[in-house]
């Protein structure tokens, strides 16, 4: 089931200790769940897991999460201006924002296209590739 991502964290949020700035099981489960949801829609192969409050996030787990998001990103399109994924595993707020923004962008474009049964762009002007 899709959950609304959080990708508006700021340095000020981090400084004040805002709840949305903690890398906890809730955040990880939202990212993993949204990744799995998009993978099921797009036919991408991912490996996700459910996190408990007592689980410990390791570098290899973060690498897996990034690879999963990249797999669903590669399976579809993202909206122009969408952030790139972090190159390295990170728990810094900017990197987590970028991960959740990519998932939001995929979901938003999928939602728009499924409502409109969108298949491409209409070209104004010279016909291209028409016989």
């Amino acid at each position: 089931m899709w959950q609304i991502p959080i990708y508006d964290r700021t340095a000020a949020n981090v400084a004040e200790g805002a709840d949305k700035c903690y890398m906890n099981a809730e955040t990880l489960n939202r990212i993993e769940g949204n990744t799995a949801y998009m993978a099921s829609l797009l036919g991408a192969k991912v490996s996700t897991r459910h996190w408990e409050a007592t689980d410990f996030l390791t570098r290899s787990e973060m690498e897996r999460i990034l690879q999963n998001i990249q797999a669903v990103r590669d399976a579809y399109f993202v909206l122009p201006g969408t952030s790139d994924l972090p190159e390295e595993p990170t728990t810094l707020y900017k990197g987590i924002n970028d991960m959740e923004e990519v998932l939001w962008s995929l979901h938003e474009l999928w939602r728009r296209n499924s409502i409109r049964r969108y298949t491409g762009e209409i070209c104004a002007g010279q016909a291209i590739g028409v016989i």
Side-chain angles (χ1 to χ4, degrees):
M1 171 183 273
W2 180 256
Q3 296 180 48
I4 298 172
I6 297 170
Y7 56 94
D8 64 346
R9 299 167 188 91
T10 65
N13 295 145
V14 173
E16 67 191 25
D19 287 343
K20 66 182 178 180
C21 294
Y22 288 98
M23 192 61 150
N24 54 26
E26 179 182 350
T27 301
L28 290 166
N29 286 328
R30 182 179 56 251
I31 292 170
E32 296 261 28
N34 286 347
T35 302
Y37 180 80
M38 292 310 303
S40 72
L41 293 176
L42 303 173
K45 301 276 188 212
V46 298
S47 171
T48 59
R49 65 173 276 192
H50 178 79
W51 292 84
E52 300 295 334
T54 55
D55 291 338
F56 185 72
L57 178 62
T58 63
R59 181 179 178 86
S60 63
E61 287 288 348
M62 189 54 119
E63 287 171 349
R64 178 189 55 76
I65 291 168
L66 283 169
Q67 290 168 358
N68 285 341
I69 297 172
Q70 187 63 54
V72 293
R73 184 181 181 135
D74 291 347
Y76 202 50
F77 303 96
V78 291
L79 294 171
T82 300
S83 298
D84 292 327
L85 289 172
E87 292 182 20
E88 294 288 323
T90 183
T91 57
L92 297 176
Y93 78 91
K94 172 73 170 101
I96 305 306
N97 279 350
D98 293 346
M99 293 165 57
E100 293 211 70
E101 181 186 11
V102 167
L103 291 168
W104 173 86
S105 176
L106 287 164
H107 183 264
E108 185 63 14
L109 191 58
W110 177 267
R111 186 190 64 75
R112 288 181 192 177
N113 291 347
S114 66
I115 291 170
R116 296 186 182 126
R117 290 178 174 74
Y118 179 82
T119 58
E121 295 290 332
I122 296 173
C123 179
Q126 182 179 2
I128 300 173
V130 177
I131 298 176

